[in-house]
Amino acid sequence: MESTSNNACGCTPKAAPKFPEQVTGMYILARALKNVGIRNVYGLVGIPITEAAYMVQGQGIRFVGFRHEQQAGMAAATEGYLTRTPGVLMTVSSLGFLNGLTATANATVNCYPMIQISGASDPTMVDMKMGTYEELDQLNTARPLVKAAFRCSHARDIPEAVNRAYRAAVSGRPGGVYIDMTTPALGEIMDAAEAEKLFYQPVDVYSPVAPNADAIKRAADLIASAKRPAILLGKGAAYAQVDDKIKALVERYGIPYFPMSMSKGLMPDEGPLSALSCRSTIMKEADVVVMIGARLNWLLGFGRGKWNPDTKFVHLEVDPQEIDTNRPCAAPVVGDMGLALDALLAELSGRKMQADPEWVPSLQAETKEKGAKFAARLAEAAPLSPMNHWSALGAIKPVLAENPDVILVNEGANTLDDTRDCISMSLPRHRVDCATWAIMGMGMGSAIGAAVATGKSVVAIEGDSAFGFSGMEFSTICRFKLPVTVVIFNNGGIYNGVGEPMDKTDDPAPTTLDVNARYDKLGDAFGADTYYVRTQAELSDALRKSIASRRPSLIDVQLAADAGKESGHIGYLNPASLQDIKV
């Protein structure tokens, strides 16, 4: 007997299909995903997609079921970033769709190829506001937030929608794409022979476009004439997977490089031409900056402020609309990153660089000096008990150096900032964090997506606040037996655990969590390997064991409640001056 809710949403056929002679739209959807090479689908089932999820499994596609759609979407987006093929999110309608849309919008902003497929109520009922099951105009809600959006009103639309969504997600500037999978389309029955005629292999889903020769010559002239050149690497450079070409540009012409957070490791952080510690110097003194897959957005002060107003920019970018954003671009190079670098290297071949011979040595000297100060900071923090962020990171740093192929996922406030500064990366696409929007709560989803998409071990370093957004997804890590270690820095609060309320109340301060929380018990609940650590030695030992085991592991790192500070530079919220605001 059909349930009332199934009848209400219209997703169940009035009569069951006569397999194998007949198939449903749900089967066609699964076949369409298989047809374009999708290997994994992330999601959370319910009306009207439960049967579709089973069909996906039936096609040999891995369906990774989550506790929350937002985290499933973060996993799909992470797969897209790491593999250059769209990660696929499948959700139910209404709030399930909206939960997933957060991740799809984030994927669009950060240029991760991703496809969100959501069950949707019959649009004819939605348009008339009839009060149908989970009534929401999902297509028009999604459109402003994604790169492209399609609606399938009939089963016959599904293969074309999947193919076009794939092409839209990966072509040009990658991004999130939405497919409105209506219940009439999912529940429609077709003859299997007729359905089979709908499938086709799309040709050239990503067609690289070469930049024009004039643009290449202009860029080469500027680079060759530079006295103090620098290369700025963004996550777009890492996504493009043109590592050997970037390496050739850097090493052949001796140009120092500065990586943004998720491009760390594209060139080794500790390489001889790394200027990772010299950000301010590059901003003030570089006369030519070659931006590769990077943006002069808020993360770089919009190219203003501390930046030298006379700096000229060469910008390698796939999207022409990004050119001249915030600063005029002297030499835009618009086109496929690989073709652009090939052409640029060819044009530079045989040219003599005009760089100041003291430029690189001065940056290397600055790097050495700052490196010594940083090492002293870690050494000073080592004996602290309880630990602070630097103590904990001092224990983690050598363990991750021993395991360079581990993918690092990182989020938090101080935990994010300090980990980015402390942990060096030597391989590309081995760091995933909250990226352009600086959102919290991406950690567990991204850790799962990284492990599923690559098969590599993953270590997620989480602030206790950040972990709280998506902590129940640790159960997903355990259910799928993924090689993920979650390290939680618990200092008992957002920024720290010593905040005091500004009113006479017994309630905790808005930034206060629980410094005595035992997050390792959550791991126990789901059968993970768990550790509660208070010292550097305990943390190093636990991390080595957990990485070696390739089992789900959770390490609860006890920090001092006063470890950390408000990271938005609101001085009076930091512990040293809390007494000034008591009332």
Side-chain angles (χ1 to χ4, degrees):
M1 179 179 292
E2 295 175 354
S3 71
T4 302
S5 58
N6 277 357
N7 286 335
C9 75
C11 61
T12 300
K14 293 181 179 179
K18 299 176 181 178
F19 292 110
E21 294 86 2
Q22 293 179 316
V23 295
T24 63
M26 301 183 197
Y27 170 86
I28 293 171
L29 172 59
R31 275 278 285 113
L33 293 172
K34 179 74 170 180
N35 191 59
V36 294
I38 298 301
R39 297 184 299 114
N40 305 300
V41 171
Y42 306 88
L44 195 153
V45 300
I47 298 170
I49 65 157
T50 303
E51 184 180 339
Y54 278 103
M55 294 290 182
V56 162
Q57 281 190 328
Q59 290 296 316
I61 299 172
R62 192 176 195 185
F63 186 89
V64 184
F66 277 69
R67 295 297 190 97
H68 195 280
E69 294 90 352
Q70 183 188 91
Q71 293 308 304
M74 296 299 177
T78 299
E79 175 165 329
Y81 169 70
L82 294 175
T83 67
R84 298 192 72 191
T85 60
V88 175
L89 165 66
M90 187 179 291
T91 83
V92 300
S93 51
S94 187
L95 289 179
F97 152 78
L98 289 171
N99 289 339
L101 187 60
T102 303
T104 309
N106 185 61
T108 304
V109 167
N110 283 288
C111 306
Y112 307 147
M114 174 185 165
I115 301 171
Q116 177 176 344
I117 302 171
S118 294
S121 297
D122 184 335
T124 59
M125 294 182 175
V126 173
D127 291 345
M128 288 302 296
K129 298 188 180 299
M130 294 174 63
T132 187
Y133 178 78
E134 295 190 341
E135 181 177 282
L136 177 66
D137 188 350
Q138 296 174 194
L139 180 69
N140 287 310
T141 300
R143 270 182 170 148
L145 300 174
V146 298
K147 185 179 178 185
F150 305 92
R151 171 179 283 160
C152 293
S153 297
H154 306 280
R156 65 176 180 269
D157 301 331
I158 294 173
E160 180 182 344
V162 169
N163 285 357
R164 292 179 65 188
Y166 191 113
R167 187 184 299 276
V170 300
S171 62
R173 176 180 174 178
V177 178
Y178 174 65
I179 302 178
D180 206 51
M181 197 61 61
T182 67
T183 51
L186 288 170
E188 186 178 346
I189 297 172
M190 290 188 68
D191 288 344
E194 290 302 309
E196 197 62 32
K197 296 176 183 178
L198 300 171
F199 301 106
Y200 64 95
Q201 289 296 324
V203 178
D204 280 346
V205 290
Y206 176 76
S207 299
V209 177
N212 67 67
D214 289 343
I216 293 295
K217 185 178 184 305
R218 185 187 304 115
D221 289 344
L222 196 54
I223 294 169
S225 66
K227 300 298 183 184
R228 296 178 302 281
I231 292 175
L232 176 61
L233 299 169
K235 66 179 177 295
Y239 169 82
Q241 299 189 16
V242 289
D243 315 340
D244 56 336
K245 304 177 196 300
I246 291 173
K247 184 173 187 287
L249 181 63
V250 167
E251 294 183 350
R252 193 176 299 172
Y253 301 104
I255 305 174
Y257 56 88
F258 177 85
M260 299 301 290
S261 182
M262 280 179 58
S263 62
K264 282 167 62 71
L266 179 55
M267 292 293 295
D269 285 355
E270 298 183 3
L273 290 168
S274 173
L276 186 58
S277 302
C278 308
R279 171 185 176 129
S280 295
T281 301
I282 287 174
M283 293 168 73
K284 292 176 184 176
E285 299 184 15
D287 61 344
V288 174
V289 173
V290 183
M291 296 197 302
I292 305 179
R295 298 162 166 162
L296 287 175
N297 59 12
W298 70 274
L299 291 165
L300 288 167
F302 309 104
R304 303 166 190 168
K306 295 180 180 180
W307 281 90
N308 182 345
D310 296 324
T311 299
K312 292 182 170 60
F313 290 94
V314 176
H315 195 176
L316 277 65
E317 171 59 51
V318 72
D319 182 4
Q321 294 187 76
E322 286 292 320
I323 303 301
D324 292 332
T325 299
N326 297 321
R327 282 285 293 266
C329 180
V333 180
V334 178
D336 174 78
M337 200 74 70
L339 295 179
L341 285 165
D342 282 340
L344 189 58
L345 287 165
E347 182 65 32
L348 285 169
S349 180
R351 295 201 189 200
K352 185 177 180 181
M353 299 293 107
Q354 303 297 316
D356 181 343
E358 296 302 316
W359 174 235
V360 169
S362 69
L363 294 176
Q364 291 171 332
E366 182 179 346
T367 296
K368 184 176 180 180
E369 179 184 354
K370 289 183 175 178
K373 290 180 179 178
F374 197 84
R377 172 187 279 183
L378 293 180
E380 182 181 347
L384 293 178
S385 181
M387 293 186 288
N388 65 12
H389 293 81
W390 298 114
S391 313
L393 289 167
I396 291 171
K397 185 178 176 69
V399 180
L400 292 185
E402 295 163 10
N403 297 275
D405 202 32
V406 166
I407 294 176
L408 173 62
V409 174
N410 184 209
E411 65 172 332
N414 293 271
T415 303
L416 171 72
D417 296 339
D418 296 345
T419 301
R420 181 182 58 235
D421 291 343
C422 183
I423 304 300
S424 296
M425 308 302 296
S426 58
L427 295 174
R429 294 169 296 280
H430 277 63
R431 178 182 168 83
V432 179
D433 61 32
C434 48
T436 300
W437 266 358
I439 57 168
M440 292 295 100
M442 46 66 65
M444 294 301 93
S446 289
I448 293 166
V452 170
T454 69
K456 296 179 184 291
S457 293
V458 176
V459 170
I461 301 179
E462 302 271 310
D464 53 337
S465 172
F467 178 74
F469 282 81
S470 58
M472 276 303 291
E473 295 302 347
F474 189 72
S475 68
T476 305
I477 292 170
C478 295
R479 246 183 314 128
F480 286 87
K481 300 179 173 60
L482 299 175
V484 175
T485 298
V486 177
V487 181
I488 303 169
F489 284 6
N490 182 18
N491 65 350
I494 301 170
Y495 312 126
N496 57 64
V498 297
E500 296 185 18
M502 293 184 70
D503 195 4
K504 294 180 174 65
T505 176
D506 292 329
D507 289 340
T511 54
T512 302
L513 298 174
D514 185 357
V515 74
N516 297 311
R518 289 291 300 269
Y519 293 101
D520 56 312
K521 301 299 182 183
L522 178 64
D524 289 338
F526 297 112
D529 295 338
T530 60
Y531 307 86
Y532 175 68
V533 301
R534 291 176 173 270
T535 67
Q536 281 193 317
E538 291 173 345
L539 176 51
S540 296
D541 183 60
L543 187 56
R544 283 191 176 93
K545 287 179 179 176
S546 61
I547 291 173
S549 74
R550 287 185 58 84
R551 279 180 41 79
S553 303
L554 192 150
I555 304 175
D556 185 351
V557 182
Q558 186 64 64
L559 301 185
D562 62 356
K565 62 182 181 179
E566 195 280 326
S567 63
H569 309 295
I570 305 175
Y572 62 77
L573 288 183
N574 289 321
S577 56
L578 279 173
Q579 65 272 15
D580 296 334
I581 61 170
K582 291 179 183 177
V583 293

